[in-house]
Amino acid sequence: MATSPRKRVVIVGAGIVGVNSAMEVQRRYPNYDVTLIADKFNGDTLSDGAAGLLRPDTYIFGPSLEISQRWVNDSYSFYKNLLKNRDDPCGINEVSGYTFSTKNPDITKNHYMNNCSPDFREATDEELKAYSSAENQPKLNYGCFFTSIVIECKLFLPWALKKISNNGGTIINRKIESLEELCGEYDIIFNCTGFRAGKLCNDVNVLPIRGQVIRVKAPWVDKFYYRDSDTYIIPSISDGTVVLGGCRHFGSHNEQENKRNTEEILENCISVLPSLKKALKTDYKVWVGLRPYRNKIRVETEYINDTVIVHNYGHGGYGVTLAPGTVKYAVDLLTSVNK
């Protein structure tokens, strides 16, 4: 692949999908000229607010169940390999934890993680009792335990941008109003624009899922916890904070804090882990973002004039989880186009 003709490649978008795309193109096609264009970077991106636990939902989000599983496996392998290089830290840590349910065993099961996490298992009766014994804790009837990876985007994104730049990439701060304006200037365009892809591509299947989370200092929390889907506690090892969530409001464009959501998140998370009460005596930060949901994640190619467009968007709340996997798939598509 290193002998391929030199081409001009642009990645639009500097969130988790965009930066991974730039790094993968540079790795697979080191002779290509790679440019990353975005109007939001690092702390201004949606990715920066993500809790970052690699844990997909269980629906089929790709073209097939097999491809969806491949995306999860490839993402897990990508992040796992980065864990090995402790001399170049990028905000990635292994974390174990539990998914619990008070009402339905299917909520705790995850066939994707069962196929890639080395220690996925059902929670024992003793574990269920241990997390149901405190005052005001509901009885947990079902649970699973597994080890996964937390990606802290506040560290990973700037690390990735530096890596792209050090490998000869060009980074431009510019807002793109249409993909057509880049045609002619570049041979290949990677569309990693998340929610904005709905307008850029006139894609009515892109919808916002409003999410709200809370970040608070709690360095003693070293495991993740989920209960009945939308209550979760996810630790960030680097700074001792935890992310408390959450909510999923389909179709909502509201980017302001909802005080009632904040109260519900705090109440639910404390009922899972009562020790969080002391953490909430200090200041905490509320974050709200619109996740770019699509019924099927769009990873495919098309042509505008003679320019190849590689679309990669619509990950919903699972961009951090799936980005390396969908990026590998997208660059594979580029490889087939180049033949």
Tab-separated table of all heavy atoms in Angstrom, residues 280-299:
chain	number	residue	atom	x	y	z
A	280	LEU	N	-20.554	14.365	46.422
A	280	LEU	CA	-21.431	15.450	45.986
A	280	LEU	C	-21.442	16.634	46.951
A	280	LEU	O	-22.157	17.616	46.719
A	280	LEU	CB	-22.851	14.913	45.777
A	280	LEU	CG	-22.931	13.881	44.633
A	280	LEU	CD1	-24.277	13.191	44.624
A	280	LEU	CD2	-22.660	14.547	43.302
A	281	LYS	N	-20.643	16.547	48.000
A	281	LYS	CA	-20.456	17.701	48.866
A	281	LYS	C	-19.511	18.711	48.221
A	281	LYS	O	-19.421	19.857	48.650
A	281	LYS	CB	-19.903	17.253	50.219
A	281	LYS	CG	-20.884	16.410	51.028
A	281	LYS	CD	-20.268	15.941	52.338
A	281	LYS	CE	-21.236	15.064	53.117
A	281	LYS	NZ	-20.649	14.554	54.386
A	282	THR	N	-18.790	18.270	47.199
A	282	THR	CA	-17.910	19.156	46.439
A	282	THR	C	-18.621	19.577	45.150
A	282	THR	O	-19.719	19.114	44.836
A	282	THR	CB	-16.596	18.445	46.087
A	282	THR	OG1	-16.890	17.316	45.251
A	282	THR	CG2	-15.894	17.952	47.341
A	283	ASP	N	-17.975	20.450	44.394
A	283	ASP	CA	-18.571	20.926	43.150
A	283	ASP	C	-18.621	19.801	42.123
A	283	ASP	O	-17.760	18.919	42.092
A	283	ASP	CB	-17.756	22.091	42.576
A	283	ASP	CG	-17.880	23.350	43.418
A	283	ASP	OD1	-18.885	23.475	44.142
A	283	ASP	OD2	-16.970	24.197	43.346
A	284	TYR	N	-19.614	19.841	41.281
A	284	TYR	CA	-19.694	18.900	40.169
A	284	TYR	C	-20.082	19.670	38.906
A	284	TYR	O	-20.610	20.782	38.969
A	284	TYR	CB	-20.687	17.762	40.447
A	284	TYR	CG	-22.088	18.198	40.780
A	284	TYR	CD1	-23.005	18.530	39.778
A	284	TYR	CD2	-22.528	18.257	42.108
A	284	TYR	CE1	-24.293	18.909	40.075
A	284	TYR	CE2	-23.820	18.632	42.411
A	284	TYR	CZ	-24.703	18.951	41.409
A	284	TYR	OH	-25.990	19.338	41.704
A	285	LYS	N	-19.802	19.044	37.771
A	285	LYS	CA	-20.038	19.682	36.476
A	285	LYS	C	-21.087	18.911	35.694
A	285	LYS	O	-21.010	17.682	35.585
A	285	LYS	CB	-18.727	19.744	35.680
A	285	LYS	CG	-18.840	20.420	34.322
A	285	LYS	CD	-17.496	20.437	33.603
A	285	LYS	CE	-17.601	21.085	32.231
A	285	LYS	NZ	-16.295	21.070	31.517
A	286	VAL	N	-22.054	19.634	35.143
A	286	VAL	CA	-23.097	19.020	34.323
A	286	VAL	C	-22.765	19.256	32.854
A	286	VAL	O	-22.408	20.367	32.452
A	286	VAL	CB	-24.482	19.604	34.652
A	286	VAL	CG1	-25.559	19.007	33.740
A	286	VAL	CG2	-24.837	19.343	36.115
A	287	TRP	N	-22.872	18.214	32.066
A	287	TRP	CA	-22.607	18.293	30.630
A	287	TRP	C	-23.825	17.819	29.864
A	287	TRP	O	-24.468	16.822	30.245
A	287	TRP	CB	-21.399	17.430	30.267
A	287	TRP	CG	-21.068	17.363	28.801
A	287	TRP	CD1	-20.234	18.177	28.102
A	287	TRP	CD2	-21.568	16.406	27.850
A	287	TRP	NE1	-20.177	17.805	26.777
A	287	TRP	CE2	-20.992	16.708	26.594
A	287	TRP	CE3	-22.451	15.335	27.939
A	287	TRP	CZ2	-21.268	15.975	25.447
A	287	TRP	CZ3	-22.739	14.599	26.800
A	287	TRP	CH2	-22.147	14.931	25.563
A	288	VAL	N	-24.149	18.529	28.787
A	288	VAL	CA	-25.269	18.154	27.916
A	288	VAL	C	-24.766	18.116	26.480
A	288	VAL	O	-24.019	19.000	26.046
A	288	VAL	CB	-26.436	19.160	28.019
A	288	VAL	CG1	-27.585	18.746	27.097
A	288	VAL	CG2	-26.931	19.265	29.457
A	289	GLY	N	-25.143	17.078	25.745
A	289	GLY	CA	-24.736	16.971	24.348
A	289	GLY	C	-25.775	16.253	23.518
A	289	GLY	O	-26.623	15.518	24.047
A	290	LEU	N	-25.723	16.477	22.207
A	290	LEU	CA	-26.647	15.840	21.264
A	290	LEU	C	-25.894	14.755	20.500
A	290	LEU	O	-25.052	15.041	19.651
A	290	LEU	CB	-27.225	16.878	20.293
A	290	LEU	CG	-27.931	18.072	20.931
A	290	LEU	CD1	-28.498	18.985	19.851
A	290	LEU	CD2	-29.034	17.628	21.888
A	291	ARG	N	-26.213	13.506	20.790
A	291	ARG	CA	-25.539	12.376	20.149
A	291	ARG	C	-26.148	12.126	18.771
A	291	ARG	O	-27.370	12.134	18.616
A	291	ARG	CB	-25.684	11.128	21.017
A	291	ARG	CG	-25.123	11.295	22.422
A	291	ARG	CD	-25.912	10.493	23.416
A	291	ARG	NE	-25.343	10.519	24.754
A	291	ARG	CZ	-26.031	10.180	25.837
A	291	ARG	NH1	-27.294	9.802	25.746
A	291	ARG	NH2	-25.460	10.212	27.024
A	292	PRO	N	-25.313	11.854	17.768
A	292	PRO	CA	-25.799	11.744	16.382
A	292	PRO	C	-26.293	10.332	16.059
A	292	PRO	O	-25.540	9.487	15.577
A	292	PRO	CB	-24.570	12.109	15.551
A	292	PRO	CG	-23.422	11.630	16.400
A	292	PRO	CD	-23.840	11.810	17.837
A	293	TYR	N	-27.566	10.081	16.306
A	293	TYR	CA	-28.124	8.743	16.104
A	293	TYR	C	-28.595	8.550	14.657
A	293	TYR	O	-29.149	9.444	14.041
A	293	TYR	CB	-29.306	8.511	17.043
A	293	TYR	CG	-30.052	7.222	16.768
A	293	TYR	CD1	-29.540	5.999	17.210
A	293	TYR	CD2	-31.243	7.231	16.052
A	293	TYR	CE1	-30.209	4.816	16.945
A	293	TYR	CE2	-31.923	6.039	15.790
A	293	TYR	CZ	-31.402	4.842	16.237
A	293	TYR	OH	-32.063	3.670	15.966
A	294	ARG	N	-28.374	7.351	14.156
A	294	ARG	CA	-28.912	6.916	12.874
A	294	ARG	C	-29.333	5.461	13.029
A	294	ARG	O	-28.667	4.697	13.719
A	294	ARG	CB	-27.854	7.063	11.774
A	294	ARG	CG	-28.388	7.021	10.346
A	294	ARG	CD	-27.262	7.341	9.352
A	294	ARG	NE	-27.777	7.447	7.984
A	294	ARG	CZ	-27.885	6.426	7.155
A	294	ARG	NH1	-27.533	5.190	7.559
A	294	ARG	NH2	-28.349	6.594	5.927
A	295	ASN	N	-30.428	5.060	12.400
A	295	ASN	CA	-30.914	3.694	12.585
A	295	ASN	C	-29.865	2.655	12.186
A	295	ASN	O	-29.771	1.590	12.787
A	295	ASN	CB	-32.216	3.468	11.830
A	295	ASN	CG	-32.123	3.822	10.355
A	295	ASN	OD1	-31.171	4.461	9.914
A	295	ASN	ND2	-33.103	3.414	9.581
A	296	LYS	N	-29.071	2.942	11.177
A	296	LYS	CA	-27.885	2.167	10.849
A	296	LYS	C	-26.735	3.154	10.673
A	296	LYS	O	-26.878	4.154	9.949
A	296	LYS	CB	-28.060	1.375	9.549
A	296	LYS	CG	-29.147	0.312	9.598
A	296	LYS	CD	-28.744	-0.872	10.478
A	296	LYS	CE	-29.814	-1.950	10.419
A	296	LYS	NZ	-29.488	-3.080	11.328
A	297	ILE	N	-25.616	2.896	11.343
A	297	ILE	CA	-24.450	3.759	11.160
A	297	ILE	C	-24.064	3.742	9.680
A	297	ILE	O	-24.007	2.683	9.058
A	297	ILE	CB	-23.273	3.278	12.023
A	297	ILE	CG1	-23.655	3.310	13.508
A	297	ILE	CG2	-22.034	4.148	11.783
A	297	ILE	CD1	-22.616	2.692	14.420
A	298	ARG	N	-23.854	4.922	9.111
A	298	ARG	CA	-23.536	4.996	7.692
A	298	ARG	C	-22.028	4.926	7.483
A	298	ARG	O	-21.293	5.865	7.786
A	298	ARG	CB	-24.087	6.287	7.078
A	298	ARG	CG	-23.944	6.309	5.547
A	298	ARG	CD	-24.435	7.600	4.937
A	298	ARG	NE	-24.382	7.520	3.467
A	298	ARG	CZ	-24.542	8.565	2.657
A	298	ARG	NH1	-24.786	9.773	3.164
A	298	ARG	NH2	-24.467	8.403	1.342
A	299	VAL	N	-21.563	3.806	6.970
A	299	VAL	CA	-20.167	3.645	6.580
A	299	VAL	C	-20.190	3.117	5.146
A	299	VAL	O	-20.368	1.926	4.910
A	299	VAL	CB	-19.400	2.680	7.500
A	299	VAL	CG1	-17.910	2.730	7.176
A	299	VAL	CG2	-19.624	3.025	8.963
